[in-house]
Amino acid sequence: MTVNFAILGAGRIGQVHAKAVTSTPGAHLVAIADPVTETAKKVADTYGCDIRSIEEIAASEDVDAVAICTPTPTHADLIEQFAKAGKAVFCEKPVDLSLARVKACLKTVEAEAAILMVGFQRRFDPDFMALKQTIDVGRIGDVEMITLTSRDPGPPPYEYIKVSGGIFRDMTIHDFDVARWLLGEEVDTVQAAASVLTDPKIGDLGDFDSINVILTTASGKQCTITNTRRAAYGYDQRIEVLGSKGSVSAENHREANIEIADDKGYLRPPLLNFFMSRYENAYANEIAAFVDAVSNRAPTPTTGQDGLMALALADAALKSVEDGRAIKLSEVLG
Amino acid sequence: MTVNFAILGAGRIGQVHAKAVTSTPGAHLVAIADPVTETAKKVADTYGCDIRSIEEIAASEDVDAVAICTPTPTHADLIEQFAKAGKAVFCEKPVDLSLARVKACLKTVEAEAAILMVGFQRRFDPDFMALKQTIDVGRIGDVEMITLTSRDPGPPPYEYIKVSGGIFRDMTIHDFDVARWLLGEEVDTVQAAASVLTDPKIGDLGDFDSINVILTTASGKQCTITNTRRAAYGYDQRIEVLGSKGSVSAENHREANIEIADDKGYLRPPLLNFFMSRYENAYANEIAAFVDAVSNRAPTPTTGQDGLMALALADAALKSVEDGRAIKLSEVLG
Amino acid sequence: MTVNFAILGAGRIGQVHAKAVTSTPGAHLVAIADPVTETAKKVADTYGCDIRSIEEIAASEDVDAVAICTPTPTHADLIEQFAKAGKAVFCEKPVDLSLARVKACLKTVEAEAAILMVGFQRRFDPDFMALKQTIDVGRIGDVEMITLTSRDPGPPPYEYIKVSGGIFRDMTIHDFDVARWLLGEEVDTVQAAASVLTDPKIGDLGDFDSINVILTTASGKQCTITNTRRAAYGYDQRIEVLGSKGSVSAENHREANIEIADDKGYLRPPLLNFFMSRYENAYANEIAAFVDAVSNRAPTPTTGQDGLMALALADAALKSVEDGRAIKLSEVLG
Amino acid sequence: MTVNFAILGAGRIGQVHAKAVTSTPGAHLVAIADPVTETAKKVADTYGCDIRSIEEIAASEDVDAVAICTPTPTHADLIEQFAKAGKAVFCEKPVDLSLARVKACLKTVEAEAAILMVGFQRRFDPDFMALKQTIDVGRIGDVEMITLTSRDPGPPPYEYIKVSGGIFRDMTIHDFDVARWLLGEEVDTVQAAASVLTDPKIGDLGDFDSINVILTTASGKQCTITNTRRAAYGYDQRIEVLGSKGSVSAENHREANIEIADDKGYLRPPLLNFFMSRYENAYANEIAAFVDAVSNRAPTPTTGQDGLMALALADAALKSVEDGRAIKLSEVLG
C-alpha cells in the first residue's frame, strides 16, 4: 500500500518532511498547503505535487495522511479537523502549549479512532536507536542515571521566543521525551534551575537560556538535562546512560571526520551547526516509521500521549523554577 | 541543462550509479542496459527508466552520457564506442588491465574530443575532500610523507580474483590514485612487498593478499600504502598526511557513533563493513561532479590519464615484487 | 628551607602522604605516629623516619609541619592542638562533619595565626590544573555551566558508610570544592536528588548511592554534579565547563593507552580503578604546594574556609533532599 | 640482594638512569663517573653518591653493575672492560656503529659469561607492554602486518648528526628493535626509501631526515616503519599491529588530557615533546628489569644479540637505499 501525503505548511520543517516523504518507499507526496503561495509553489515545483488549500486537502479522497508543519497555535485544531476527516495525522511537536488543550485534542483523536503521531525525531536518530537497543538487550543492566546534554549553537529569533512557550516547552521538550523513552518508567518529580546567561533580552521576554533539570522516577532512577541556547562549537547533542553493568553514550556529529595536528595541538572540526543536518536521517526514519504504522494499521511509535507527557514535564520544570521546589508530575497532570 | 543518462550494466555498481544519477539535480536516468533482462528490469522498475540494448543506447538521441558499469574487459571497447557516438563517458576503474590498451583507448578519446571521467570515487568522499582542502589552503605546509591504510573486511570470490588483474591493479589502484592526488607531484620510484597471509588459495591463484608499497617522488616526498584482504573490524580506510607545519588525517566510519563501557573497557562499534555504504556519499558526489563537468563542458576531475597513471603504478609495484628492486615509473610507462 | 614533617596516621592515606613528602624537594619526613605500632613501623622502615606519639610530635622542635591522616572525628581536635603547638597543619578533608565544630576550629586556627591547608587533591591534578588555566586565561570566555561527573567503581565498606557523614559529605564534597574552584563565584542555592539504586543496605544505613545536584550562583551560573557508588568501567572523574566562547573538558585516565579492534568493535581498557592511582600526581602536587606555602609563609591554596564551604554545600544538598526544595546556602551557613 | 650501581657518563641519559636507579627497589647508586667534574658533581649531589674514575669503578668491590651512558664510540671498549671486571653491564644503544666491532665485543662478553643488557627502552613502556601482552595472549590471532610511526619533534644538532651513524642507526634502530620484538620472527628482507625534506644541511652531512622501511619475514609478515626528524605536533610514537583476528594499537601521550571546543573545533594539546618525558616510565621499568635479571642471574630481556640485529637491519636499510633494491638481512650479517 502506498500512503498518499499532504503536507500542511511549506516552511523549514515542512520542506524537511516533503523531502522525507518523497524519498520514503511506500509514501507519495500528493499536495502541499501554505497560505504563502510562493512558498507552496517552491515545494510543489521541487517535488512535483499539487498545491491545495487545507480545506481541499481535508476533502481530498486521494490523501491518506497529513503532516502538520504549521505554527504551533494551529496544531490542535488541525489535528482535530483531520482526525475527523479520517486522515492519518503526523504532527510536529508540540500538540499545543496548553495541557488542557492537548488533553481535549487527544480526546477527539481517541473518539475518532484516528492515527496520530507526534514528531519527536530524536527517537529515530540512528545513533540514539543503537543506544536504545544496547539498553533493551540488557547490555548495561538496569538503567540508573541518565545525562542528556543539548546545546543550541545560538538562540532563535526574539519573535520566535515570544511565542515559543519558553525554553522548557520549546527546547527541553525533546529531552523530556528522550528521558521518558530511555528511563523506561514515568517521572515522579521534577527539579529545575533556570538562568539568563547569554543575552539579557531573552530574560526581558520572560524566558531563560540556560537550564538544568533533574528528573526522578518512583524507583529512584534519575535523569539530568542540561540545555543552553549558545555553544560556540556547534549543535551539541549527547546522551549518556549509566546502568548497573556499564554505560552507553552517543557521540556528536562533526562537519568532517578529519583531524589536524600542529604545534597548537590536535584539532577536529566543530559540530554540525544545524538541527536539520544533524537529524537529517532521523527525520527520514521518522516519516518511514509513520508510513509503516499507517500501512499496517499499527500503533505509532510516538503518540499523542507522548506529546502530552513531555509537555507536562516542561510545565513541571517551569513550576519548579518559579516555586523553588521539587514538583510532583501529578501536580501538573491533575 | 539536464544530462540524460544511460547506465551500461545493472549489477552492484550499476545500481549504485543508478541511485546516484536519479538523486542528482541536473541528471536524469533514461535507460539501463544489461544482458540479463531481469537485472535490467529491476533497475528500470525502481527508477522508472527504459531498458535498451547497448547498440540502441549508442544510437539514442535522448542520451547525453553513459556510465559504464560492465565487467572490466569490456571497458575500453565501450569507451571507444561511446566516445565515437558523441556521448560523454563515465567509466568505472580500470579502463583496462593492459597499459597498452589503455593508451590506445585514450588516443581514441582524444581524437574524438570526447568527455571521459574514470571513477575514482575516493576523491569525492566528503572527509577526504576536507582533508585535501586542508592541504590546499596551506594549513599543514608542504606535503612530505603520506600513509594510506586500506584494508578490506574479507577477500572477493576466487572467481573474481582470477580476472581482477591482481591486488595491485584491483585494490591498491585506488590508493595509487589517492597518492597522486595528495602528493601533488608524480611518483618517480615504486618499491613493494607482497605476501599471502590470509588464504593460501589466493597464492595458488597467483595473487597476494597483504602488500606494502613505498612511492617516492623526484623531490623526495614519500607515500606508503598498506593493504590487506582481511580486517576483522571492518572496512578500514585511513589517510594521514604529514606536512612541514603539521599533519591531517581522516578517520574511519563506524556502524554507529556510540560507546559502551563496562568492566571489559570502552567499546565502539566496528567499522562499516562494505565499500558501498562507506562511500555512499562519495559515489553521489562523483556523479554530481561528472554532471557538472558535462553541463559546463569543463574538464572532468578524474581523467583517462588518471586511470592510466594509477595502472602504471600498479604495474610498477608488481614488477618491484618480482624483481626485488625499486622500479622507476618510467620503466613501465615506456 | 626544608620543611620537616610528621605524619599523623599511617593508614592508606597516611602512606600516600609519606610517599609524597619523601619525594618532594624541600620536604623531609621526620616522624610517623599511629596507635597501631606495626602500621607505624611499616612507614618508618620504608622511609627511614622516627616513630613518635602525637604528644611527642607536638613537642618536637625538629617538626615544622604535620599532615593529619587520622579518622575524621579526630581532625578538628588535632588541628587545634597543632595550631597551638605552632606547627603548620595539613589536614585531610573534612575538618569535621559538623559545621559548628568546623567554625570553632577555624576560629582557633585564626587566633593562633596558624597555617592550615585542607586536602582537596583534585585541585592539584595536572589535567584539572590545565583545565583551570584554560579558563583563567579567558580561552572559553565567561564560565556559565559546569558538569561534574564522579563515579566510584564500588561502594566503601558498610562500616565506613556508617561514620562517613553520608555521600554528600564524604564523596560529593570533592565535587563541591571543584565547583567552587571553577565557578569563580559562591553558590547561592542548592537543589539535590538522592536515591538508593545499587545496594538497599546502603539505604538501610541511612545513606544514598546515587545523587544529582544543581548549584546556582547569584549571577545564574549553574553546576550539576552527578555521583554514584558503582561504575562497572572504573573510577570515573570528568569535568566539563561551558563558557561564553567555548568549552573545556578533562578526560578520564585508563589502565593503558591501547585499543584493540576486532569483529566486536574497538575496545579501550577500563579506567584506573582506584583514587590513589588516579590521583597519584595530584597528591604529590598537593604536598608540594603545601611545602611551598609553608616555606614562603604564603597563603595555602586550599584553606579551612574551603573546607567549611564544601561542607556547607553538602549540608544544603542533604537538606534539599529532605525538604524537597531549593536551599539557600545562607540557610545552612547561618 | 641489592644491586650496587655505578653510572658511566653524567650527561642527559646518565641523569635519566641515575634517577631510575635511585628510585628502583633493590638498586643502589654508589658512584658516578664523568670527565667533566662539574657534571659528575651535579649527579653526586642530587643522589648522594661518590664520584669515581672509570678505572676506580672497574676496581671497586662495592660496585655490582654499571650503566654505560658515555658517547657511542666508547661503548664497546667499556662493555669489554667491565665484562672482564666481572660487573653486570647495562649499555645504552648502540653497542657500536660497526657490525664487526659489535660481533667482537659480544664474543668477549660471551667468553666472560658476563651479563649484558642493551638499552631499548621502548620494550618497557607500559603501553607497549600492554600491546605486546595483547598479542601474546592470542587476542588478535597471528601477527601479520605492523605499522610503526616514529617522528621526532625536531632534528638533533648537526654536530650529533655527524657522529650518529645516520638516521637508520640512530633513530630507526629503536623501531627495528620494536619490529623484531613484535614480529616474533626474524626479518628476511629490507626495503627502504630515504629523503632529505626538512633541512638540506642534513643532506650535506650525508644523512637523511625522512625514511620509510618495509621489513619482510620468511613467512611473509611485513612491518613498515615511517620516521621523520620533524613533527610540528610533538614526539609521535605509535604502533599498530594487524593480526588474523583483529588489531591492537598504542596511542600517543599528550601534555594534558583536556579538550577545548570553540568555533574553530575541538582541540587537544600537542604531544609530549621530548623522549625523556614520553619514556620516563619506560626508563624506570628498564632499569628495574635489569636489576631483576642481575639479582636473579636470569637472562636480560634485551641482549647484545638484540643490539646486533637492530644494527644489522639499519645497515641493510641503508644498503637498500644505496643499491635501490631489496636487501637480504643475510647479506649484511655475513
Side-chain angles (χ1 to χ4, degrees):
Chain A
M1 169 201 169
T2 293
V3 178
N4 291 304
F5 269 84
I7 291 177
L8 316 184
R12 211 164 58 171
I13 193 69
Q15 291 170 31
V16 166
H17 287 308
K19 187 178 173 186
V21 166
T22 51
S23 65
T24 300
H28 178 62
L29 182 59
V30 170
I32 179 83
D34 199 287
V36 183
T37 317
E38 207 158 332
T39 311
K41 197 171 177 313
K42 196 175 143 194
V43 169
D45 286 354
T46 306
Y47 299 104
C49 70
D50 291 353
I51 299 177
R52 299 184 192 166
S53 73
I54 285 179
E55 292 311 315
E56 286 167 351
I57 290 168
S60 295
E61 298 230 335
D62 62 349
V63 168
D64 306 309
V66 294
I68 302 176
C69 305
T70 52
T72 295
T74 66
H75 286 184
D77 290 349
L78 288 172
I79 290 171
E80 292 177 336
Q81 176 178 1
F82 283 88
K84 288 175 183 164
K87 309 300 185 197
V89 179
F90 174 92
C91 184
E92 269 304 304
K93 66 91 199 164
V95 173
D96 195 88
L97 295 176
S98 148
L99 264 183
R101 182 68 188 91
V102 175
K103 286 180 184 176
C105 176
L106 297 187
K107 262 192 193 148
T108 303
V109 170
E110 199 181 338
E112 300 290 337
I115 294 174
L116 172 63
M117 176 163 166
V118 173
F120 286 119
Q121 90 281 357
R122 290 190 197 174
R123 295 200 192 193
F124 304 94
D125 175 71
D127 291 343
F128 297 168
M129 289 169 80
L131 176 143
K132 179 67 158 67
Q133 197 189 9
T134 301
I135 297 170
D136 290 348
V137 297
R139 186 75 169 74
I140 64 163
D142 295 325
V143 169
E144 292 174 356
M145 305 280 271
I146 300 177
T147 305
L148 305 180
T149 304
S150 300
R151 294 170 182 158
D152 283 350
Y158 296 137
E159 288 311 305
Y160 179 80
I161 289 178
K162 280 183 200 171
V163 299
S164 69
I167 188 169
F168 290 117
R169 292 193 192 96
D170 175 56
M171 181 176 175
T172 323
I173 198 165
H174 284 288
D175 300 291
F176 288 132
D177 182 63
V178 170
R180 290 183 63 244
W181 184 45
L182 297 177
L183 282 168
E185 187 184 335
E186 289 298 342
V187 170
D188 184 59
T189 59
V190 181
Q191 292 164 282
S195 310
V196 179
L197 295 172
T198 73
D199 180 356
K201 188 79 198 308
I202 292 175
D204 295 345
L205 297 173
D207 201 359
F208 307 102
D209 56 19
S210 306
I211 65 98
N212 276 295
V213 179
I214 305 173
L215 307 176
T216 309
T217 70
S219 75
K221 298 177 184 186
Q222 298 173 36
C223 173
T224 59
I225 301 169
T226 189
N227 283 173
T228 54
R229 288 288 198 187
R230 178 176 64 193
Y233 50 85
Y235 185 48
D236 189 0
Q237 301 280 292
R238 280 173 287 157
I239 296 177
E240 179 176 336
V241 183
L242 177 73
S244 53
K245 294 184 189 166
S247 75
V248 58
S249 57
E251 300 299 314
N252 274 307
H253 291 206
R254 288 166 202 293
E255 289 171 3
N257 296 304
I258 65 169
E259 187 166 44
I260 301 169
D262 62 16
D263 55 351
K264 301 286 189 303
Y266 282 69
L267 182 71
R268 291 181 294 164
L271 306 182
L272 288 175
N273 209 34
F274 194 38
F275 71 92
M276 292 195 187
S277 43
R278 167 63 183 86
Y279 285 117
E280 186 175 1
N281 289 332
Y283 283 115
N285 290 342
E286 181 183 50
I287 287 296
F290 177 64
V291 167
D292 196 55
V294 173
S295 300
N296 301 302
R297 304 295 307 177
T300 55
T302 49
T303 64
Q305 181 67 11
D306 291 322
L308 175 74
M309 293 303 285
L311 184 66
L313 289 166
D315 284 8
L318 187 59
K319 191 172 176 59
S320 174
V321 172
E322 289 166 352
D323 294 5
R325 64 182 179 89
I327 303 297
K328 287 263 178 191
L329 190 59
S330 55
E331 296 182 50
V332 298
L333 270 178
Chain B
M1 169 199 169
T2 293
V3 178
N4 291 305
F5 269 83
I7 292 177
L8 315 185
R12 210 165 59 172
I13 193 70
Q15 290 170 32
V16 166
H17 288 308
K19 187 179 173 186
V21 165
T22 51
S23 67
T24 300
H28 178 63
L29 181 59
V30 171
I32 179 83
D34 199 287
V36 184
T37 317
E38 208 158 330
T39 312
K41 196 169 178 315
K42 196 176 144 195
V43 169
D45 286 355
T46 306
Y47 299 105
C49 69
D50 290 352
I51 299 177
R52 299 184 192 167
S53 72
I54 285 179
E55 292 311 314
E56 287 168 351
I57 289 168
S60 295
E61 297 229 336
D62 64 346
V63 169
D64 305 310
V66 293
I68 302 176
C69 305
T70 53
T72 295
T74 66
H75 286 185
D77 291 349
L78 288 172
I79 290 172
E80 291 177 337
Q81 177 178 1
F82 283 88
K84 287 175 184 163
K87 309 300 185 197
V89 178
F90 174 93
C91 184
E92 268 304 304
K93 65 91 198 163
V95 172
D96 195 88
L97 294 176
S98 146
L99 263 184
R101 182 69 187 91
V102 176
K103 284 181 185 175
C105 177
L106 297 188
K107 260 191 195 149
T108 304
V109 170
E110 197 180 340
E112 300 290 336
I115 294 175
L116 172 63
M117 177 162 164
V118 173
F120 286 120
Q121 88 283 356
R122 291 191 197 172
R123 295 200 193 194
F124 304 94
D125 175 71
D127 291 344
F128 296 169
M129 289 169 81
L131 177 143
K132 179 67 159 67
Q133 196 189 11
T134 302
I135 297 170
D136 289 348
V137 299
R139 187 73 170 73
I140 64 164
D142 295 326
V143 168
E144 291 174 357
M145 305 280 273
I146 300 177
T147 305
L148 304 181
T149 305
S150 300
R151 294 171 182 158
D152 282 351
Y158 296 136
E159 289 310 305
Y160 179 79
I161 288 178
K162 281 182 199 171
V163 298
S164 69
I167 189 170
F168 290 118
R169 292 193 192 96
D170 177 56
M171 183 177 174
T172 323
I173 198 166
H174 283 289
D175 298 291
F176 288 133
D177 183 62
V178 170
R180 290 182 63 243
W181 183 46
L182 297 177
L183 281 168
E185 188 183 334
E186 287 299 342
V187 170
D188 183 60
T189 59
V190 181
Q191 292 164 281
S195 311
V196 178
L197 296 172
T198 73
D199 181 356
K201 189 80 198 310
I202 292 175
D204 296 345
L205 296 173
D207 201 358
F208 308 101
D209 56 19
S210 306
I211 65 99
N212 276 296
V213 180
I214 306 174
L215 306 176
T216 309
T217 69
S219 75
K221 297 178 183 184
Q222 297 173 36
C223 173
T224 59
I225 300 170
T226 190
N227 283 174
T228 54
R229 288 287 197 187
R230 177 176 65 195
Y233 51 85
Y235 185 48
D236 189 359
Q237 301 280 293
R238 282 172 285 158
I239 297 177
E240 179 176 336
V241 183
L242 177 73
S244 52
K245 295 184 189 165
S247 76
V248 58
S249 56
E251 299 300 312
N252 274 308
H253 291 206
R254 289 166 202 292
E255 290 172 1
N257 297 303
I258 66 170
E259 187 167 45
I260 301 168
D262 63 14
D263 56 351
K264 300 286 188 304
Y266 282 69
L267 183 71
R268 291 179 294 163
L271 306 182
L272 287 175
N273 210 35
F274 196 37
F275 71 92
M276 290 196 188
S277 44
R278 167 64 184 85
Y279 285 118
E280 187 175 0
N281 289 333
Y283 283 114
N285 291 342
E286 181 183 50
I287 288 296
F290 177 64
V291 167
D292 198 54
V294 173
S295 301
N296 300 302
R297 306 292 308 175
T300 54
T302 48
T303 64
Q305 180 66 13
D306 290 323
L308 175 72
M309 293 302 285
L311 184 66
L313 288 167
D315 283 8
L318 188 58
K319 190 172 177 57
S320 174
V321 172
E322 289 167 351
D323 295 5
R325 62 181 179 89
I327 304 297
K328 286 263 178 191
L329 190 59
S330 54
E331 295 182 51
V332 297
L333 269 178
Chain C
M1 170 200 169
T2 292
V3 178
N4 290 305
F5 269 83
I7 291 176
L8 315 184
R12 209 164 60 170
I13 192 71
Q15 291 170 31
V16 166
H17 288 308
K19 187 179 172 186
V21 166
T22 51
S23 66
T24 300
H28 180 63
L29 182 59
V30 171
I32 179 82
D34 199 288
V36 183
T37 317
E38 207 157 330
T39 311
K41 198 168 176 313
K42 196 177 143 193
V43 169
D45 287 354
T46 306
Y47 298 105
C49 70
D50 291 352
I51 299 177
R52 298 184 192 167
S53 73
I54 284 178
E55 292 310 316
E56 287 168 350
I57 288 169
S60 294
E61 296 229 337
D62 63 348
V63 169
D64 306 311
V66 293
I68 302 175
C69 306
T70 53
T72 296
T74 67
H75 286 184
D77 291 348
L78 288 171
I79 289 172
E80 290 176 336
Q81 178 178 359
F82 282 89
K84 286 175 184 163
K87 309 299 186 198
V89 179
F90 174 92
C91 184
E92 269 304 304
K93 67 91 200 167
V95 173
D96 196 88
L97 294 176
S98 146
L99 264 184
R101 182 67 187 92
V102 176
K103 285 181 183 174
C105 176
L106 297 188
K107 263 192 191 147
T108 304
V109 170
E110 197 182 340
E112 299 290 337
I115 294 173
L116 172 63
M117 177 161 163
V118 174
F120 285 120
Q121 88 283 355
R122 290 191 197 173
R123 296 201 194 193
F124 303 95
D125 174 72
D127 291 345
F128 296 169
M129 290 169 80
L131 176 143
K132 179 67 157 70
Q133 197 189 9
T134 302
I135 297 169
D136 290 348
V137 298
R139 186 74 167 75
I140 64 163
D142 296 326
V143 169
E144 293 174 356
M145 305 279 273
I146 299 177
T147 305
L148 305 181
T149 305
S150 299
R151 294 172 182 158
D152 283 352
Y158 296 137
E159 288 311 305
Y160 178 80
I161 289 177
K162 281 183 200 169
V163 299
S164 69
I167 190 170
F168 290 118
R169 291 193 192 96
D170 177 56
M171 182 175 174
T172 324
I173 197 167
H174 283 288
D175 299 291
F176 287 133
D177 182 63
V178 170
R180 289 184 63 243
W181 184 45
L182 297 178
L183 281 168
E185 186 184 334
E186 289 299 344
V187 170
D188 183 61
T189 59
V190 180
Q191 291 163 282
S195 311
V196 179
L197 295 172
T198 72
D199 180 357
K201 189 82 198 308
I202 292 175
D204 295 346
L205 297 172
D207 201 359
F208 307 101
D209 55 20
S210 307
I211 65 97
N212 277 295
V213 179
I214 305 173
L215 307 176
T216 309
T217 70
S219 75
K221 297 176 184 187
Q222 298 174 36
C223 173
T224 58
I225 300 171
T226 189
N227 281 175
T228 55
R229 288 287 198 187
R230 178 177 63 195
Y233 50 85
Y235 185 48
D236 189 0
Q237 302 279 293
R238 281 172 287 157
I239 297 177
E240 179 176 336
V241 183
L242 177 73
S244 53
K245 293 183 191 167
S247 76
V248 58
S249 57
E251 299 299 313
N252 274 308
H253 291 206
R254 287 166 202 292
E255 290 172 2
N257 297 303
I258 65 170
E259 187 166 45
I260 300 169
D262 63 15
D263 56 349
K264 300 287 188 304
Y266 283 69
L267 182 72
R268 291 179 295 164
L271 306 182
L272 288 175
N273 210 34
F274 196 38
F275 72 92
M276 291 196 187
S277 44
R278 168 61 184 87
Y279 286 118
E280 187 175 0
N281 290 331
Y283 284 114
N285 291 342
E286 181 184 50
I287 287 297
F290 177 64
V291 167
D292 197 55
V294 173
S295 300
N296 300 303
R297 306 292 308 173
T300 54
T302 49
T303 65
Q305 181 66 13
D306 290 324
L308 175 73
M309 293 303 285
L311 184 65
L313 288 168
D315 284 8
L318 188 57
K319 192 172 176 57
S320 174
V321 172
E322 289 167 352
D323 294 5
R325 63 180 178 90
I327 303 297
K328 286 262 178 191
L329 190 59
S330 54
E331 294 183 52
V332 298
L333 270 177
Chain D
M1 169 199 169
T2 293
V3 178
N4 290 306
F5 269 84
I7 291 176
L8 314 185
R12 211 164 58 170
I13 192 71
Q15 291 170 31
V16 166
H17 288 307
K19 187 179 172 186
V21 166
T22 52
S23 67
T24 300
H28 179 62
L29 182 59
V30 172
I32 179 84
D34 199 288
V36 184
T37 318
E38 206 157 332
T39 311
K41 197 169 176 313
K42 196 176 142 193
V43 169
D45 287 355
T46 306
Y47 297 105
C49 71
D50 291 351
I51 299 177
R52 298 185 194 168
S53 72
I54 284 178
E55 292 311 315
E56 287 168 350
I57 289 169
S60 294
E61 297 229 337
D62 63 347
V63 169
D64 306 312
V66 293
I68 301 176
C69 306
T70 52
T72 295
T74 67
H75 285 185
D77 291 348
L78 288 171
I79 289 172
E80 291 176 336
Q81 177 178 1
F82 282 88
K84 287 175 183 164
K87 309 300 186 198
V89 179
F90 174 92
C91 184
E92 269 303 305
K93 66 91 201 167
V95 173
D96 195 88
L97 295 175
S98 146
L99 264 184
R101 182 68 188 93
V102 175
K103 286 180 183 174
C105 176
L106 297 189
K107 263 191 192 147
T108 303
V109 170
E110 197 181 339
E112 300 290 338
I115 294 174
L116 172 63
M117 176 162 163
V118 173
F120 285 120
Q121 87 284 354
R122 290 190 197 174
R123 294 201 194 192
F124 303 95
D125 175 72
D127 291 344
F128 296 168
M129 290 169 80
L131 175 144
K132 179 66 159 67
Q133 198 189 8
T134 302
I135 296 170
D136 290 349
V137 299
R139 188 73 168 75
I140 64 163
D142 296 325
V143 168
E144 294 174 354
M145 305 279 273
I146 300 177
T147 305
L148 304 180
T149 304
S150 300
R151 294 171 182 159
D152 283 352
Y158 296 136
E159 288 310 306
Y160 179 81
I161 289 178
K162 280 183 200 169
V163 299
S164 68
I167 189 169
F168 289 117
R169 292 194 191 95
D170 176 57
M171 182 175 174
T172 323
I173 197 165
H174 283 289
D175 299 291
F176 288 132
D177 183 63
V178 170
R180 288 184 63 244
W181 183 46
L182 298 177
L183 282 168
E185 187 184 335
E186 289 298 343
V187 170
D188 183 60
T189 58
V190 180
Q191 292 164 282
S195 312
V196 179
L197 295 172
T198 74
D199 180 357
K201 189 79 197 313
I202 292 175
D204 296 345
L205 297 172
D207 201 0
F208 307 102
D209 56 19
S210 306
I211 64 97
N212 276 297
V213 179
I214 305 173
L215 307 175
T216 308
T217 70
S219 76
K221 297 177 184 186
Q222 299 173 36
C223 173
T224 58
I225 301 170
T226 189
N227 283 175
T228 53
R229 288 287 198 189
R230 178 176 64 195
Y233 51 85
Y235 185 48
D236 189 359
Q237 301 279 292
R238 280 173 287 158
I239 296 177
E240 179 175 336
V241 183
L242 177 73
S244 53
K245 292 185 192 165
S247 76
V248 58
S249 57
E251 298 300 312
N252 275 307
H253 290 206
R254 289 166 201 293
E255 291 172 2
N257 297 304
I258 65 170
E259 187 166 45
I260 301 169
D262 62 15
D263 55 351
K264 300 286 188 303
Y266 282 70
L267 182 72
R268 292 180 293 165
L271 306 183
L272 288 175
N273 210 35
F274 195 38
F275 71 92
M276 292 196 187
S277 42
R278 169 61 184 86
Y279 285 117
E280 187 175 0
N281 290 333
Y283 282 115
N285 290 344
E286 182 184 49
I287 288 296
F290 178 63
V291 167
D292 197 53
V294 174
S295 301
N296 300 303
R297 305 294 307 175
T300 54
T302 49
T303 64
Q305 181 66 13
D306 290 323
L308 176 73
M309 294 302 284
L311 184 66
L313 289 167
D315 284 8
L318 189 57
K319 191 170 176 59
S320 173
V321 172
E322 289 167 353
D323 295 5
R325 64 184 178 88
I327 304 296
K328 287 262 176 189
L329 190 59
S330 53
E331 295 182 51
V332 297
L333 270 178

